[in-house]
Amino acid sequence: MTTPELSQEQQHFDQLIADDSRVEPTDWMPEGYRKTLTRQISQHAHSEIIGMQPEANWITRAPSLKRKAILMAKVQDEAGHGLYLYSAAETLGTDRDTLVDQLLEGKAKYSSIFNYPARTWADVGAIGWLVDGAAICNQVPLCRCSYGPYGRAMVRVCKEESFHQRQGWEILYELANGTPAQKQMAQEAINRFYGPALQMFGPPDDDSPNSQQSMAWNIKRFSNDELRQRFVDMIVPQAEALGLHFEDPDLKWNEERGHYDFGALDWDEFFGVIKGDGPCNEQRAQRRRQAFEDGAWVREAAAAYAEKYESADTSLIA
Ligand code: BYC
């Protein structure tokens, strides 16, 4: 049997991947590659936008002016990440309005973690340390993603995430070294976020339908379980430095593997959350729709300005 000849375009694409080179928007790419990236990048963008909510809820209640300013800057960074990512997704041919509609209509996924509430100020610390920490672990390899616009966006995003993680760490450090009640509050926040943060890396490899192809295309560089393990190995000594611990009886150093073993995660809960049954799914979606409606006048003003600018004699505009 003879294998059908590959088109020149397909050969060029395959060569770019084999050379570990970059695919750019003007290059030909297989439809599956385009579809996978549009899915992943838009889900990532939606996560950044929805992810603003749990922390934004704390801006008015941050315990000092300095903390308020830092938190506002962080939440604003997340909005910026969303915008770079929608722009990167648009280069694949689907416009931002369509992607945003998918989110508003509840048809698009976003990270499971943002369907959990931030109950106390310590949760803001746990989100910074564990959620942004998991995001860095996942996103540093994405800086080498084969699709140019996504990889380049990730470089800047990761730099900002490092600041976010440190601000979370610092909040917890202060609490862990404060009064016994503050230390207890920090410990309880970690208890709440440990499992959901580990689930951010996605389902176990055996249950991850997209991983194999995404890794073959150099979109993902490591599997979900590999990154999860890397994250656990990173956070255990960090928790010790904070004087806090993870409530996982199976968490222990495995000399033979050179890694920490950890307990099974609740995957029924994870799949329930991504299906829409998490504690805050409804609230997050409703708030996003409301914010979109509240921002209608800004979009209308920007469109009116753009129209006026286009029809004006631009030589008269300095
Ligand atoms: N939550 O085959 P799999 C941030 C879905 S924002 C929900 O392994 P893949 C921050 C997955 O989409 C950081 N859904 O998929 C912002 C797929 O469903 P579909 C967000 C999940 O794509 C504000 C199905 O499960 N980071 O840091 O190969 C404030 C099967 O999974 C999740 C990113 O978006 C999940 N956790 O791998 C603070 C990173 N996991 O689409 C902080 C970019 C899986 O087939 N994304 N699913 O219906 C990725 O790296 C990959 O998409 C994933 C999943 C590792 C997440």
Side-chain angles (χ1 to χ4, degrees):
M1 201 172 77
T2 54
T3 43
E5 228 176 87
L6 294 177
S7 69
Q8 263 192 346
E9 289 160 323
Q10 177 80 53
Q11 286 177 34
H12 177 67
F13 173 85
D14 290 348
Q15 198 56 51
L16 286 175
I17 300 295
D19 293 345
D20 207 355
S21 189
R22 283 236 145 120
V23 178
E24 295 298 340
T26 47
D27 289 323
W28 180 90
M29 60 189 85
E31 266 322 291
Y33 180 82
R34 188 185 298 279
K35 217 170 135 197
T36 293
L37 277 161
T38 305
R39 176 185 65 79
Q40 179 167 327
I41 302 173
S42 62
Q43 286 176 358
H44 194 163
H46 302 326
S47 304
E48 301 283 357
I49 298 300
I50 297 284
M52 294 162 74
Q53 292 188 34
E55 292 172 287
N57 286 341
W58 275 92
I59 290 174
T60 54
R61 292 172 289 167
S64 71
L65 183 60
K66 193 173 150 199
R67 298 268 183 216
K68 199 187 289 282
I70 294 170
L71 189 59
M72 277 171 70
K74 179 194 189 289
V75 172
Q76 202 169 317
D77 282 352
E78 309 297 359
H81 298 173
L83 298 188
Y84 314 147
L85 287 162
Y86 284 127
S87 299
E90 279 191 309
T91 64
L92 291 156
T94 308
D95 63 36
R96 182 165 139 194
D97 288 348
T98 307
L99 299 172
V100 169
D101 279 350
Q102 290 168 356
L103 176 66
L104 297 174
E105 288 165 14
K107 292 182 190 151
K109 287 197 172 78
Y110 58 84
S111 183
S112 48
I113 192 75
F114 302 117
N115 293 307
Y116 292 87
R119 295 190 192 284
T120 67
W121 174 249
D123 286 17
V124 176
I127 291 173
W129 174 43
L130 294 176
V131 174
D132 289 85
I136 295 172
C137 228
N138 165 272
Q139 286 167 200
V140 166
L142 289 175
C143 296
R144 293 192 293 117
C145 167
S146 57
Y147 189 56
Y150 191 31
R152 288 188 288 274
M154 282 301 103
V155 173
R156 178 155 178 188
V157 169
C158 285
K159 285 185 184 157
E160 293 177 351
E161 297 293 10
S162 305
F163 150 68
H164 299 167
Q165 192 194 20
R166 278 176 221 173
Q167 68 86 39
W169 161 272
E170 205 263 339
I171 290 172
L172 290 176
Y173 185 84
E174 288 280 314
L175 292 172
N177 290 284
T179 65
Q182 286 173 322
K183 185 168 184 180
Q184 177 66 18
M185 187 164 80
Q187 183 60 56
E188 285 170 6
I190 289 177
N191 297 348
R192 281 193 282 276
F193 277 89
Y194 170 74
L198 262 57
Q199 289 174 338
M200 282 176 73
F201 294 92
D205 293 350
D206 291 347
D207 221 357
S208 163
N210 301 299
S211 278
Q212 211 183 355
Q213 181 61 72
S214 288
M215 288 172 75
W217 276 329
N218 294 345
I219 294 172
K220 287 168 84 159
R221 298 289 179 155
F222 299 98
S223 77
N224 299 353
D225 285 334
E226 283 169 333
L227 291 175
R228 195 173 358 259
Q229 179 71 64
R230 187 180 282 196
F231 181 61
V232 171
D233 291 347
M234 187 181 88
I235 59 175
V236 173
Q238 291 180 354
E240 280 164 13
L242 284 170
L244 302 171
H245 61 273
F246 295 115
E247 277 193 338
D248 176 352
D250 297 320
L251 185 65
K252 53 179 170 308
W253 179 251
N254 182 324
E255 194 62 49
E256 215 173 293
R257 292 199 313 120
H259 291 290
Y260 283 92
D261 290 336
F262 55 98
L265 297 167
D266 185 344
W267 293 110
D268 289 342
E269 175 183 316
F270 170 81
F271 286 113
V273 169
I274 66 174
K275 227 176 68 230
D277 296 335
C280 298
N281 296 59
E282 194 42 51
Q283 179 188 331
R284 301 290 185 238
Q286 205 277 334
R287 179 74 197 95
R288 179 87 296 271
R289 283 193 292 269
Q290 185 65 49
F292 187 77
E293 280 167 31
D294 292 347
W297 69 273
V298 180
R299 291 189 300 279
E300 281 161 23
Y305 177 78
E307 203 178 308
K308 195 169 157 190
Y309 186 85
E310 267 166 32
S311 58
D313 180 353
T314 45
S315 65
L316 299 175
I317 299 172

